[in-house]
Amino acid sequence: MGRHAGSSQPVAREPGAAALVWLERGLLGLVAGAVIALVLRWAGLTAGTSLVVGIVVLVLVPVAAWVASTVPGPAQDDEPPA
């Protein structure tokens, strides 16, 4: 377990896995954008401003998730601990 539990073998992906990942990212962005827009509206901002910020969040959350997925994982140690 822990950081040494990873396998050096690449993980095989199912055929629809990429579409499911993007669907999850899009749904997360949609929920985050809606929540932000509602909270900003509740806090007293105008409807237009709340909507614009919600749309920006709707776009930025999936983009941030995609950028995070491009970061390489931790380096794998091939040698056992001394």
Side-chain angles (χ1 to χ4, degrees), residues 11-76:
V11 178
R13 299 184 90 175
E14 295 182 18
L20 182 61
V21 167
W22 277 104
L23 177 66
E24 290 173 352
R25 290 175 184 167
L27 288 176
L28 181 64
L30 182 66
V31 169
V35 168
I36 290 293
L38 289 173
V39 168
L40 290 177
R41 186 67 186 125
W42 173 76
L45 266 69
T46 64
T49 302
S50 300
L51 185 62
V52 167
V53 172
I55 291 171
V56 168
V57 170
L58 170 73
V59 172
L60 285 181
V61 167
V63 169
W66 170 72
V67 169
S69 73
T70 63
V71 175
Q76 297 294 325

